[in-house]
Amino acid sequence: MSGIAGILPRQQGRPTAAADIQQMLARMQHRARDGSSWWMDRTAALGHAWLNTTDEADPGPLTMAGGKLAVTADCRLDNREELLARLGIRDSSLADGSLLMRAYLRWGEACPTYLQGDFAFAIWDSERQILFCARDHFGVKPFYYHADDRIFLFASEIGPILSIGGAGARLSEHQISGFLAGLPDDPQSTPYTDIFRLPARHSLTVSDSQVVLRRYWQIEPSSKPMRSDAAEEFRHLFSQSVRNRMRGTPAVGAMLSGGLDSSAIACVASLQNDMARKPRLPTFSLIFERGSSMDERPFIDAVIGQQKVDGTLIAVGNYAPFAEFERILEEQEGTFLAPGLSLTRGIYREAGAKGMKVLLDGHGGDEVVSQGHGHLHELANAGKWIELWREIRSASNTYGDSMVGLYYQFLTLYGPAWRIAKLRHTTRRILDRVRNSPAAPRGPSWRHLVNPDLARRTDLVDRFHRAGHMPSTVSASEALSHRWILSNGVVPHAFEVLDKAAANFGVEPRYPFWDKPLVDFCLALPGEQKLHNGFGRHVLRRAMEGILPPSVQWRRDKIDFKSNLVHGMLGNHRDLVDKVLVSDADRIAPYVNLPEVSAAYARILRQPDEATLPDVQCVWRSIALSLWLRQVQLRGSQA
C-alpha cells in the first residue's frame, strides 16, 4: 500500500512548486515505510509514498521516453504475463509502474480495460499536456482529487489535498445526510464539497481546459462458456486469485475470523505456502470470551489444527467501541459506516508489529459469491412452489427465519395469495378512514434520525429511493440482484475505510474475493449454484471440499456484532453518549432529529438485549458525527 500525490497547475505560466508536492507527501508519511520521492517538470509534479509490497527496486515516480511520460502508482497488476506478451516485452522484471506506461503508450486512454488487479495511478503525458488517471474495477485503491480553474490536485488521502492552501475545505451536507442514512450513494462525493473521489472502474483525463470522467468497465457476467463442474472452476479461479495476492513481499499473513470466507483464504494460502516449501502462513484472529455470542474460537481452532499456519490469537476483553475514536476519525478524515473498525485496527496493529506487510482479508465473500436469495424469487416467479418450499425450509434451518411467514410473502408477491393481500390492504385502508386514525409510520429506518430540514436540503428521500433499496424488478432476478449488490456504493466505501486504517500500521490488505475473473464467473452462475439446500454461497462451500474443516465449510450461523456493540457502548461510554446527546447536543442539532435520537437511546437503555439495529445505528452515528464535527471545529479554530 503506497500513497500517490500530484499537482497540475491549470494556469499558463504558473510553475509547479517543489515545496507543495513535498508537503503533500509529508501528510502521507505513514504510507512511506520504505521511503518517498517526487518528480517534477515545468508543468506537473508527482509524488510517491512507498510501502514496498511487490518487491520492486524503484519506489517511483517512474519516467520513460526521456521524461515525456511519468507515472505515480499504487498498484499490483495480476495479469502481468498476459500484458508482457501483448506488449512484446521479454523483461519479466519490469516494474508494475513501467508496465502501466507501456500499456498507455500502446492503448492510450483505453489502457485500464486491459488491466487486472488493484490500482490507482496517474500518468503525466508531456507531449499531449494531459494527466491521465485511473482507479481499479472495484475501488480497492483510493483516489481523491480537487479541480478548479487554478489547479488540479490528487492524492491517496484527503489530507494532502487540504494541505495545499486549504483546497476544498467546506463540509458537505450531502455527505453528512448520506452517512446518517447509511447511504454512500454518490461514488464521487467526500466529506468536503470540493474534493471528489475518482469512482471505481473510471478514468479521468485532465488538461488546462477540461476534466473528463469516463467509465471504462461495467460489472457484467462472464461471457465465457462455463465448465460442467462449477465448483472445480471456482476452486481454480479462487486459488489463482489467492496466489496473485501473495505476490511480492514474503511478509504475507492472513486474517482468520473462523468464518467461511477468511477460513477459505487462509487454508488455500497455507496449502500454497506448503507446496512452495515456504514458512507457515501467519494468521491473526480476534478471540472473545468463551461461550459468548462472539466466540468463534472452535472454528478458528479447527482451521489452525487442520492447516499448517502460525496462528496469532488477539484477546478482546472489555470491548470499548469508542476507544481511540478521535485517532480513528483523524485516520479516516471523516465519518464512516463501520462500528467495528476499532477491532479490525487491533488486527492491523498486531500484524504490523509482527512485520507483516500484506494481510489477506476475506472481506467481500457475501457480495462476490452471493447468498443467492434472488433464487427464491426466481423459483416463485416460475411457479415452482414445491421446490421453493423445500429451499425455504432449508434456509429457515440455516438462518432461523419463519418458514410459513417467508413462504406466504412469496405467495403474496407471485402467487394467488396476492388477491387476499390486496383485499386485506383495502379493508385496512377503509377502517383507517372510518376511525380517522393515522396510518402506521412507514419508510426507511433512518427517517427518525435525520433532521427533516437536512433531508429536504439534500434530497435524501429521492436519493434513497434511487439507490437505497433494491427495486422489485431487480430483486426478482438473482443475476440482477447480485450485480446490484456488487455495484452498491458501500463497496468502495468499505475499501477506503480499511485502506486508511491499515496504512497507519504499515499493512496492505488484499482481498482474494475481489478478483475480476472470479467476479465475472460468480455473476454468471445460475441461482441454484449460489443457494442450495438452504446454504448460501454454495459453490464456494463445494469448492472447499477437502480444504476447509467440515465444521467451517458447512457452518450455519453467522456472528451478530450488534449485541457486542450495544454492551460496549453502555458499559464503557455512558458518559460520552450522555454528553453528546445533552450538553453538546447543539453541535449535531442541525443534522439529526435530537428527540428521536434520545428516544432511541432510552429504548436501548431500557432493554439493551432487545435493542433494534435502527436504534443502535441511530445512536452510534450521532456520536460519531458529533466527535468528527468537534475535530473539524477545533482544526478550524487552530488554522
Side-chain angles (χ1 to χ4, degrees), residues 473-553:
T473 54
V474 171
S475 62
S477 161
E478 167 56 28
L480 293 177
S481 59
H482 194 172
R483 186 172 64 180
W484 188 89
I485 290 169
L486 290 173
S487 305
N488 194 282
V490 174
V491 171
H493 173 78
F495 285 135
E496 290 167 9
V497 169
L498 295 172
D499 176 272
K500 292 174 184 176
N504 285 274
F505 301 103
V507 174
E508 175 179 286
R510 293 181 181 174
Y511 310 96
F513 282 102
W514 293 97
D515 178 73
K516 183 177 177 294
L518 185 64
V519 170
D520 291 343
F521 171 80
C522 290
L523 271 172
L525 285 174
E528 61 267 21
Q529 294 283 358
K530 302 171 188 177
L531 178 66
H532 186 68
N533 290 336
F535 287 99
R537 295 173 290 164
H538 193 258
V539 68
L540 167 62
R541 297 176 192 271
R542 287 180 54 224
M544 292 298 105
E545 183 69 34
I547 296 176
L548 275 177
S551 62
V552 178
Q553 180 187 4

Side-chain angles (χ1 to χ4, degrees), residues 278-319:
K278 293 182 178 179
R280 291 189 174 195
L281 177 77
T283 63
F284 298 85
S285 307
L286 296 176
I287 302 298
F288 293 83
E289 181 182 353
R290 285 191 182 275
S292 74
S293 62
M294 301 290 293
D295 180 21
E296 295 196 89
R297 182 70 179 268
F299 304 106
I300 295 168
D301 287 345
V303 173
I304 292 175
Q306 177 168 308
Q307 299 295 340
K308 297 178 180 178
V309 302
D310 181 12
T312 295
L313 307 180
I314 306 165
V316 179
N318 186 16
Y319 174 51

